[in-house]
Amino acid sequence: MPSYIASTQRIKLARKGDYFEREFIFNTLNLNGKSAKCQVRTEPGGTLLLEFSTANSRIIISGTSLKLVCPADEFNLSPGEYAYDIQVFTSAADVATLITGTFEVIDETTT
């Protein structure tokens, strides 16, 4: 896979306790046949809080689309701002970080 400069994307207003879904479109990159992983951490290199991946079915890839999904009963991060990135790969030696940024979680009103 070629080397890419990661795009910085801020995920805002993800509500604790709600179903979470966010789609990213890569206009010139076909992702079919690739795997992906996204980790949400307290800070870069910090404690792992949530993981999305094609292996755990929390990342869905279709053509140029990559979608992060998490059921409401598993989206229980405390309100705050976290770090995340998305890596796409075909093997352990063929990895590209495509997106990096912050992941904001807000509190639920109705519990």
Side-chain angles (χ1 to χ4, degrees):
M1 183 174 309
S3 177
Y4 293 94
I5 296 174
S7 170
T8 300
Q9 301 282 326
R10 180 175 175 171
I11 294 177
K12 299 189 301 185
L13 305 176
R15 189 172 297 277
K16 176 184 176 179
D18 280 5
Y19 172 80
F20 175 80
E21 180 177 301
R22 188 65 41 98
E23 183 174 24
F24 300 90
I25 304 294
F26 301 91
N27 292 322
T28 60
L29 179 62
N30 187 331
L31 301 171
N32 286 335
K34 295 177 176 51
S35 297
K37 180 166 57 171
C38 171
Q39 293 183 336
V40 179
R41 294 181 175 267
T42 52
E43 60 188 2
T47 303
L48 176 63
L49 303 172
L50 182 64
E51 182 169 281
F52 301 85
S53 71
T54 47
N56 70 10
S57 300
R58 299 291 180 254
I59 292 181
I60 300 165
I61 289 176
S62 178
T64 60
S65 166
L66 183 148
K67 189 180 296 185
L68 306 177
V69 296
C70 187
D73 62 344
E74 295 178 23
F75 195 71
N76 54 12
L77 295 176
S78 296
E81 192 165 279
Y82 305 103
Y84 84 102
D85 67 9
I86 299 174
Q87 295 182 331
V88 174
F89 54 94
T90 55
S91 70
D94 187 24
V95 179
T97 300
L98 300 181
I99 294 179
T100 186
T102 56
F103 194 110
E104 178 189 22
V105 177
I106 61 173
D107 209 356
E108 56 192 331
T109 302
T110 303
T111 58

